[in-house]
Amino acid sequence: MLNSIRLIITTTILSAFVFADVFMTELTDPQNSSDAGRYVELYNNGSEDVDLSTWSVQRWTNGNADPTASSIINLTGYVIEAGSFFIICNDDNKFTTTYGMDCHLNIGTGGFADSNGDDNMALLNNGEIVDMFGVPGEDGSGTGHEFEDGRAERAADNQSASSVWDE
């Protein structure tokens, strides 16, 4: 009986992680970034709201093997509703002026949502990479993960996170 209860509890906990499919859907470096602002869009493809208290984001710049310290942002205190987007921007005023809505989290310049288009980005849960854009330690210039003066959008048929970059 005790083993059955343990199995049910373990299965329930694991199911919560398996069905909580949060991933990056868009990264931007608009050519007019001084006016429009940069942002990263997350999406919850699951059927349940996800408490982001154990989640974080980070980016690697200029081919560095280690993430840029100022880019590591904990998402504690935020929830992304089932089937909803969560936008992290570098300037909410510019974002609102350009797109007509507020971003969910304004982290300012120099951080995760302030890439110049050749950086590598990751979404983590409990310190483990859940979704990866680019190759840490590799400058994205001239690669399949460069989005300088533009944006990178996840392919429409790709509906889940990937801990390893796959162009």
Side-chain angles (χ1 to χ4, degrees):
M1 178 70 168
L2 184 57
N3 285 336
S4 295
I5 293 172
R6 285 183 187 155
L7 179 62
I8 291 170
I9 291 172
T10 302
T11 303
T12 302
I13 290 170
L14 290 175
S15 295
F17 288 111
V18 171
F19 296 116
D21 201 6
V22 177
F23 54 93
M24 294 178 281
T25 51
E26 186 172 21
L27 302 94
T28 65
D29 174 38
Q31 194 164 24
N32 61 344
S33 65
S34 61
D35 296 327
R38 296 169 171 153
Y39 67 92
V40 175
E41 178 184 81
L42 307 179
Y43 180 66
N44 176 0
N45 196 33
S47 59
E48 301 289 328
D49 295 354
V50 175
D51 178 354
L52 298 175
S53 293
T54 60
W55 294 71
S56 61
V57 292
Q58 64 187 34
R59 77 177 166 131
W60 292 256
T61 59
N62 304 320
N64 289 315
D66 295 320
T68 306
S70 64
S71 77
I72 301 170
I73 305 292
N74 290 318
L75 302 177
T76 301
Y78 295 94
V79 172
I80 183 170
E81 296 176 0
S84 294
F85 294 94
F86 186 87
I87 299 172
I88 303 169
C89 71
N90 72 339
D91 188 309
D92 191 43
N93 291 331
K94 292 177 184 177
F95 184 87
T96 300
T97 299
T98 303
Y99 305 106
M101 61 184 197
D102 292 328
C103 67
H104 296 94
L105 177 58
N106 176 8
I107 59 172
T109 59
F112 173 74
D114 199 27
S115 175
N116 64 353
D118 63 356
D119 298 328
N120 307 296
M121 321 284 248
L123 174 66
L124 298 88
N125 187 5
N126 287 311
E128 297 293 321
I129 293 177
V130 172
D131 198 24
M132 185 72 217
F133 179 83
V135 180
E138 177 181 285
D139 187 313
S141 299
T143 71
H145 55 92
E146 178 180 34
F147 59 100
E148 187 173 353
D149 296 332
R151 67 189 187 125
E153 184 175 317
R154 190 170 223 111
D157 61 341
N158 186 335
Q159 299 289 313
S160 62
S162 176
S163 63
V164 178
W165 168 246
D166 181 6
E167 187 176 339

